[in-house]
Amino acid sequence: MEDRSYAQQQLAQSLARTIRRRRKQLGKSQIDTANEANIDRTQYQALEYAVSNRQTRTPANPTLSTLIGLSQALECSIEDIIGDAVRDYQYAQSHFYDDK
């Protein structure tokens, strides 16, 4: 069974906000960003919607190679991409995670 904890959902949503904001700051389209990151357009769109699969609504959890590609396409470090997500995840996990 896939874990769809509150913490994982917060992680995906924070990542989505960050990449969407950065892409817009650069004036890039989703298609251009996906191409530059060497990922499929639909995969990139799903990341901006905070899901890895739109049908099942599974929270996004990109691979390291995807994060590297995104950092290059968005002209920033991986830390810039995931920093807010890590903080939000840690907060949610410490305050709402049931399996402590």
Side-chain angles (χ1 to χ4, degrees), residues 56-74:
T56 63
R57 306 289 302 161
T58 304
N61 191 8
T63 64
L64 182 55
S65 61
T66 297
L67 292 172
I68 291 169
L70 287 172
S71 73
Q72 293 169 345
L74 297 173

Side-chain angles (χ1 to χ4, degrees), residues 20 27 69:
R20 185 180 316 112

Side-chain angles (χ1 to χ4, degrees), residues 1-5 8 58:
M1 180 175 164
E2 292 191 46
D3 184 4
R4 296 184 191 188
S5 72
Q8 286 186 339
T58 304

Side-chain angles (χ1 to χ4, degrees), residues 11 14 81-92:
L11 175 69
S14 183
I81 292 174
I82 66 170
D84 289 344
V86 169
R87 284 185 290 279
D88 290 349
Y89 178 79
Q90 289 170 336
Y91 177 83

Side-chain angles (χ1 to χ4, degrees), residues 50-61:
V51 296
S52 62
N53 182 313
R54 286 189 184 185
Q55 292 175 337
T56 63
R57 306 289 302 161
T58 304
N61 191 8

